[in-house]
Amino acid sequence: MASVKAMLGDAVARLFFHEWTITAAREVSPHFRRIELTGEDLREAHGAGDKVQVMIPGTGPRTYTPFAPDRERGAVSLLVYLHGAEPGAQWGRAAAAGERVRVFGPRGSLQFSTLAPAVVLFGDETSFAAARALRELRGPEAPLSFVFEVTHADEAETVLAELDVGPRTLVRRGPDHLLAVERQLRAALARHAGADQVLCGNARSIQSLRAALKASPAPHARQKVKAYWSPGKRGLD
């Protein structure tokens, strides 16, 4: 007989979490998989830049930015970065069509709809789906610029080309690479007068860039910050 604790856990999960079905899972590149999921609640409108938390048994939730919403089918896609042996990467590698997963959300995160017409976004591999969601919201001609710090530039180009995020600059991680990132961000802000700035991805990189941009301010409107992860810590969002 199931324990009272287990029964209570299942009851809470049914109350607060949705159950979605994986309808497709495919490799985009060696370190990325695109996973499509369907669920009745996905027929409702959700905001670009929202987040969903996938419940991974035994480890807790992992957070992703949904994109490619299809309200008629009740579907969205997630891009899973297969980084090392962490639980989210293991789930992403093993995910297969027909499996059911529990999720919390979608719910507000970056709320792209509140941003200025022009946006300059900094991120990394964990930010690619957010960039895609912003491009979907604004359209192909919108004044958006993306600057990403990446480990494998060729692979990142392949993934971003498939996601069709538009103009982007990739900076390979290495000694003092954030100086190059800062230069690219300043150049993008100079091109887009009155742009909002979004900094997401690695908490340490965000902290360094915010300090540099504060010490010698670059022209921009508002700044939104969302740290997705930090070395040595579990997912932050």
Side-chain angles (χ1 to χ4, degrees), residues 159-214:
V159 177
L160 291 166
E162 171 160 323
L163 293 179
D164 195 21
V165 303
R168 57 194 177 269
T169 301
L170 305 185
V171 178
R172 192 189 302 271
R173 290 184 179 91
D176 299 323
H177 78 279
L178 288 179
L179 293 176
V181 169
E182 180 190 347
R183 287 194 296 270
Q184 294 294 339
L185 287 176
R186 290 183 183 278
L189 290 169
R191 291 194 302 271
H192 299 304
D196 277 348
Q197 188 179 62
V198 176
L199 304 175
C200 55
N202 183 348
R204 292 184 185 176
S205 296
I206 292 171
Q207 184 179 29
S208 296
L209 291 168
R210 291 191 76 190
L213 293 168
K214 183 178 181 180

Side-chain angles (χ1 to χ4, degrees), residues 45-124:
H46 300 291
D50 280 359
K51 62 183 179 182
V52 298
Q53 292 177 293
V54 176
M55 305 306 295
I56 300 175
T59 65
R62 290 297 182 273
T63 305
Y64 301 95
T65 301
F67 63 95
D70 184 334
R71 291 180 61 186
E72 183 175 343
R73 294 177 53 236
V76 294
S77 288
L78 306 180
L79 185 70
V80 182
Y81 180 37
L82 308 177
H83 182 62
E86 69 95 18
Q90 293 185 38
W91 172 75
R93 291 188 186 97
E99 294 179 357
R100 298 180 69 80
V101 296
R102 283 178 173 165
V103 299
F104 185 54
R107 56 196 179 99
S109 182
L110 279 170
Q111 297 182 320
F112 288 144
S113 63
T114 66
L115 296 176
V119 180
V120 174
L121 182 147
F122 162 76
D124 61 10

Side-chain angles (χ1 to χ4, degrees), residues 6-19 55 102-104:
M7 288 189 292
L8 286 174
D10 285 342
V12 169
R14 286 193 296 270
L15 182 62
F16 292 104
F17 294 84
H18 301 293
E19 193 169 66
M55 305 306 295
R102 283 178 173 165
V103 299
F104 185 54

Side-chain angles (χ1 to χ4, degrees), residues 47-49 111-115 131-140 142 144:
Q111 297 182 320
F112 288 144
S113 63
T114 66
L115 296 176
R132 165 63 185 259
L134 178 56
R135 178 59 68 185
E136 288 174 346
L137 175 68
R138 295 299 176 82
L144 308 178

